[in-house]
Amino acid sequence: MTADIHQLHGEKPPSLDPMMALVAADMNEVNAVILDRMQSEVPLIPELAGHLIAGGGKRMRPMLTLACGRLLDYPGRRHCKLAAAVEFIHTATLLHDDVVDGSDLRRGRKTANLIWGNSASVLVGDFLFSRAFEVMVEDGSLKVLKILSRASAVIAEGEVNQLSAQRRIETSEDQYLAIINAKTAELFAAACKIAAVVAERDEATEAALDAYGRNLGIAFQLVDDAIDYVSDAETMGKGVGDDFRDGKVTLPVILAYARGTPEERDFWKQAIVGHRASDEDLAHATTLLHKHDAIADTLARARHYGQRAVDAIGGFRPSQAKAALTEAVAFAVARAY
């Protein structure tokens, strides 16, 4: 078996449309499971959960589970319920993240914690985690349960690691990569890998899909961290410069700090601890990022991980699913342009 070489950039802007079309029928089943399992006799639970679930997210992670199932010609339906579990895990982490970060915008809408308060958001997030584990147990596969439960634990570790690194300008590039691998890439990897498990494929196939999802997740987060400084609230669906004001030391900041003059490094030290957080400070930070090519190099790194994701599925035969998964990587990277 020889691997096909796929390039990330084509003639037209990449899109998630091919993957959405590929899994449309399956996503209807996933959405039905989500709607059913988010119900509760406590009215606040479906109200709050529905606010975020219906908030316009692309459902990329559950779509990856379904698309990987198609890649493997899996004929069953187990992956539909498991894709719903993946979305519940993701939604629960978003609810918790917004509380930790004190966010007031998510996907262009007010966050649940802003509307209902922190306590309700945390508890409904716990409810969704519980629903996810119910679905996993019903599936009956200990291997699936192990993959998704581990992912849940690793995501939490990543978030705690990020919290520990917050407002610490000395955060290293290795620590940063460990954080995004845990808090973002782990669920991408698990969402893809479980398709190989339900399709009863060998460990090499599981590893290939894990590598695809993991590298895609890293590329996705690198782009997010770059566009926090160069996009706008309408495009991002959240506040511009949130990472800067929250004191998050992301790769663009790490690169600019390492390459900066003593005066610039002093600015970053003050900014990250919260002493320089005005709009003018954000504009100055963005100028420094561009001066030292920190944004461009972060996006170049995202393209590198994106190509690794594409290469990970290079050994699979050409198909509509493979093409859709390849274009999904290009879409994730192209969001910055």
Side-chain angles (χ1 to χ4, degrees):
M1 180 173 64
T2 58
D4 296 328
I5 302 300
H6 297 274
Q7 299 301 321
L8 281 178
H9 301 289
E11 293 180 359
K12 62 179 182 178
S15 166
L16 280 183
D17 290 347
M19 188 159 70
M20 293 172 70
L22 177 76
V23 303
D26 290 341
M27 274 305 296
N28 288 335
E29 187 172 336
V30 173
N31 289 331
V33 174
I34 290 172
L35 183 62
D36 176 60
R37 295 306 180 94
M38 62 184 258
Q39 298 308 313
S40 168
E41 293 181 359
V42 179
L44 179 59
I45 291 176
E47 183 181 2
L48 192 154
H51 172 79
L52 184 54
I53 289 173
K58 296 179 179 65
R59 305 268 171 92
M60 191 171 185
R61 293 154 189 81
M63 282 200 296
L64 287 171
T65 301
L66 302 177
C68 287
R70 287 294 189 95
L71 181 72
L72 303 177
D73 296 317
Y74 172 61
R77 311 305 304 160
R78 287 171 58 195
H79 65 327
C80 292
K81 289 182 71 173
L82 291 173
V86 167
E87 183 65 7
F88 278 143
I89 292 171
H90 177 55
T91 304
T93 61
L94 294 184
L95 286 169
H96 290 168
D97 286 354
D98 286 341
V99 170
V100 171
D101 294 340
S103 303
D104 55 14
L105 273 182
R106 167 73 66 182
R107 298 168 181 166
R109 308 171 77 199
K110 289 182 179 179
T111 54
N113 52 293
L114 189 67
I115 299 171
W116 289 281
N118 289 343
S119 298
S121 291
V122 169
L123 293 172
V124 172
D126 292 345
F127 173 84
L128 295 179
F129 267 125
S130 300
R131 285 294 196 228
F133 278 89
E134 281 183 354
V135 172
M136 292 180 224
V137 171
E138 288 170 13
D139 178 72
S141 167
L142 284 177
K143 194 167 190 177
V144 165
L145 182 59
K146 181 177 181 180
I147 291 168
L148 290 177
S149 60
R150 170 178 163 74
S152 299
V154 170
I155 292 166
E157 288 177 338
E159 294 292 350
V160 173
N161 195 6
Q162 179 173 265
L163 193 62
S164 300
Q166 196 165 349
R167 303 205 179 279
R168 295 176 65 89
I169 192 62
E170 65 272 17
T171 300
S172 69
E173 188 172 333
D174 285 346
Q175 185 178 5
Y176 164 80
L177 287 172
I179 289 169
I180 67 171
N181 182 65
K183 80 183 190 76
T184 301
E186 186 70 24
L187 188 57
F188 275 83
C192 297
K193 186 176 182 178
I194 58 174
V197 176
V198 299
E200 298 181 350
R201 295 300 186 92
D202 58 20
E203 290 187 0
T205 303
E206 290 179 20
L209 294 186
D210 182 291
Y212 168 84
R214 191 171 303 279
N215 284 291
L216 170 57
I218 293 173
F220 192 93
Q221 188 62 55
L222 283 165
V223 171
D224 262 11
D225 291 345
I227 63 178
D228 186 73
Y229 287 93
V230 296
S231 189
D232 54 72
E234 184 177 352
T235 301
M236 293 190 298
K238 65 174 186 175
V240 179
D242 279 357
D243 288 351
F244 175 75
R245 294 187 178 90
D246 290 342
K248 291 183 180 177
V249 183
T250 56
L251 185 59
V253 174
I254 291 170
L255 295 177
Y257 179 73
R259 298 167 182 176
T261 65
E263 182 182 3
E264 291 167 354
R265 288 162 70 92
D266 185 62
F267 165 79
W268 284 115
K269 288 176 182 177
Q270 293 190 46
I272 291 303
V273 297
H275 296 158
R276 301 286 298 270
S278 68
D279 289 346
E280 291 77 13
D281 291 324
L282 174 60
H284 182 57
T286 303
T287 298
L288 294 180
L289 294 175
H290 286 300
K291 174 186 175 182
H292 294 291
D293 295 323
I295 298 293
D297 287 351
T298 297
L299 296 177
R301 191 80 60 87
R303 290 192 295 274
H304 165 74
Y305 282 102
Q307 190 62 57
R308 286 177 61 171
V310 171
D311 292 344
I313 57 171
F316 292 95
R317 65 174 179 80
S319 66
Q320 185 182 4
K322 183 176 179 180
L325 288 164
T326 300
E327 186 160 351
V329 177
F331 167 80
V333 174
R335 292 175 304 137
Y337 298 95

